[in-house]
């Protein structure tokens, strides 16, 4: 009798099929590999556990480069004025241009009398331009005027992001040394290096932003406490024309 019951139990088990929940074991959750990555995810910024990411936080005036979830570089930045704000964007660096020229937009020519500036030490874009995949003419770039990096509030651009550690960022993006970056600049003339793989860039607006240890710091609401820019002012905020 016991044998018959066992046989019937086995037949019933085959008829019902395996239990999917029992047969597929859940893998371990993917955890951030640094306190900074965990804190960024806590404020809604997705950090991949593998690969590269650049985050520019507008209210804290800083850029953070991460690789495999770990902070590699932090740099002060200058962002747009309240009348010409830097927008929030999800984009990517796809190339680095050395010794760029600067061509103002028609609005900048009309409103400010701006004129094209040839490549060189007096160029507003400095010696390095990071090409971003967007249609708003927003880029990351070096600068010929570094005095603003020492200001506690760094809202002085037409909308683009000036990067204090542009050479270090370019070396990391291109997988070369800063010495090689200096050689590329010294070659003279405008030339472009395409990245082997695009690097995602998130331009975000967070008034609470973490230090490397994950501690959140409060920053002033530099744009949203101001009167909204008019469409004409936003048009003027585009930082440059075609390179």
């Amino acid at each position: 009798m016991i044998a018959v019951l066992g046989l019937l139990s086995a037949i019933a088990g085959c008829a019902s099929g395996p239990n999917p929940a029992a047969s597929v074991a859940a893998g371990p959750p993917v955890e951030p590999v640094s306190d900074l990555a965990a804190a960024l995810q806590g404020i809604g910024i997705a950090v991949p556990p593998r690969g590269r990411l650049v985050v520019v936080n507008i209210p804290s005036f800083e850029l953070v480069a991460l690789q495999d979830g770990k902070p590699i570089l932090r740099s002060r930045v200058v962002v747009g004025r309240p009348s010409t704000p830097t927008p929030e964007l999800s984009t990517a660096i796809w190339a680095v241009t050395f010794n760029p020229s600067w061509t103002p937009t028609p609005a900048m020519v009309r409103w400010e009398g701006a004129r094209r500036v040839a490549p060189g030490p007096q160029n507003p874009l400095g010696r390095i331009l990071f090409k971003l995949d967007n249609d708003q003419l927003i880029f990351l770039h070096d600068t010929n005027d570094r005095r603003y990096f020492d200001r506690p509030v760094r809202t002085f651009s037409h909308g683009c992001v000036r990067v204090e550690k542009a050479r270090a960022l370019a070396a990391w993006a291109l997988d070369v040394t800063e010495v090689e970056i200096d050689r590329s600049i010294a070659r003279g003339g405008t030339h472009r290096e395409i990245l082997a793989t695009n690097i995602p860039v998130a331009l975000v607006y967070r008034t609470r932003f973490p230090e490397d240890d994950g501690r959140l710091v409060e920053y002033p609401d530099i744009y949203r406490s101001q009167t909204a820019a008019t469409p004409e002012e936003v048009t003027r905020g585009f930082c440059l024309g075609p390179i």
Side-chain angles (χ1 to χ4, degrees):
M1 182 65 179
I2 294 175
V4 172
L5 289 175
L7 178 60
L8 291 174
S9 177
I11 293 172
C14 291
S16 61
N19 183 344
S23 62
V24 180
V30 176
E31 295 293 340
V33 296
S34 70
D35 292 335
L36 175 61
L40 288 173
Q41 301 207 114
I43 59 172
I45 301 170
V47 179
R50 295 291 179 266
R52 298 183 179 192
L53 174 68
V54 171
V55 178
V56 175
N57 187 44
I58 297 163
S60 60
F61 315 112
E62 67 179 323
L63 174 151
V64 182
L66 300 105
Q67 187 158 352
D68 297 338
K70 297 179 181 178
I72 299 297
L73 171 72
R74 291 186 85 122
S75 174
R76 296 176 183 179
V77 300
V78 171
V79 300
R81 299 187 291 258
S83 61
T84 56
T86 299
E88 293 188 86
L89 283 176
S90 293
T91 180
I93 301 172
W94 62 272
V96 177
T97 300
F98 294 98
N99 301 313
S101 63
W102 182 72
T103 303
T105 63
M108 292 169 68
V109 173
R110 182 172 66 252
W111 287 95
E112 302 174 25
R115 293 292 180 267
R116 182 185 180 277
V117 182
Q122 302 308 314
N123 193 284
L125 302 178
R127 297 302 189 100
I128 300 171
L129 173 73
F130 300 89
K131 298 286 287 183
L132 300 183
D133 183 17
N134 72 98
D135 59 1
Q136 299 189 49
L137 297 178
I138 297 297
F139 304 100
L140 310 179
H141 63 83
D142 187 23
T143 178
N144 66 325
D145 189 352
R146 307 187 69 78
R147 58 184 169 163
Y148 294 117
F149 290 123
D150 292 328
R151 303 281 186 91
V153 177
R154 297 188 284 278
T155 52
F156 298 102
S157 85
H158 287 87
C160 283
V161 178
R162 306 174 193 171
V163 182
E164 183 178 32
K165 297 180 180 178
R167 279 172 167 78
L169 182 62
W172 174 73
L174 293 170
D175 284 317
V176 298
T177 67
E178 288 190 52
V179 171
E180 290 173 278
I181 294 299
D182 290 337
R183 287 175 185 156
S184 292
I185 293 169
R187 279 174 50 190
T190 302
H191 56 282
R192 179 181 295 168
E193 296 287 342
I194 307 296
L195 270 60
T197 304
N198 290 2
I199 298 176
V201 176
L203 274 64
V204 301
Y205 195 101
R206 300 289 193 278
T207 55
R208 301 180 75 222
F209 197 73
E211 298 292 325
D212 283 345
D213 61 5
R215 180 174 55 92
L216 290 175
V217 178
E218 297 282 347
Y219 294 96
D221 188 355
I222 56 171
Y223 290 162
R224 292 169 186 168
S225 61
Q226 303 288 330
T227 302
T230 66
E232 186 173 58
E233 288 174 323
V234 172
T235 300
R236 292 175 58 195
F238 291 166
C239 66
L240 70 157
I243 298 296

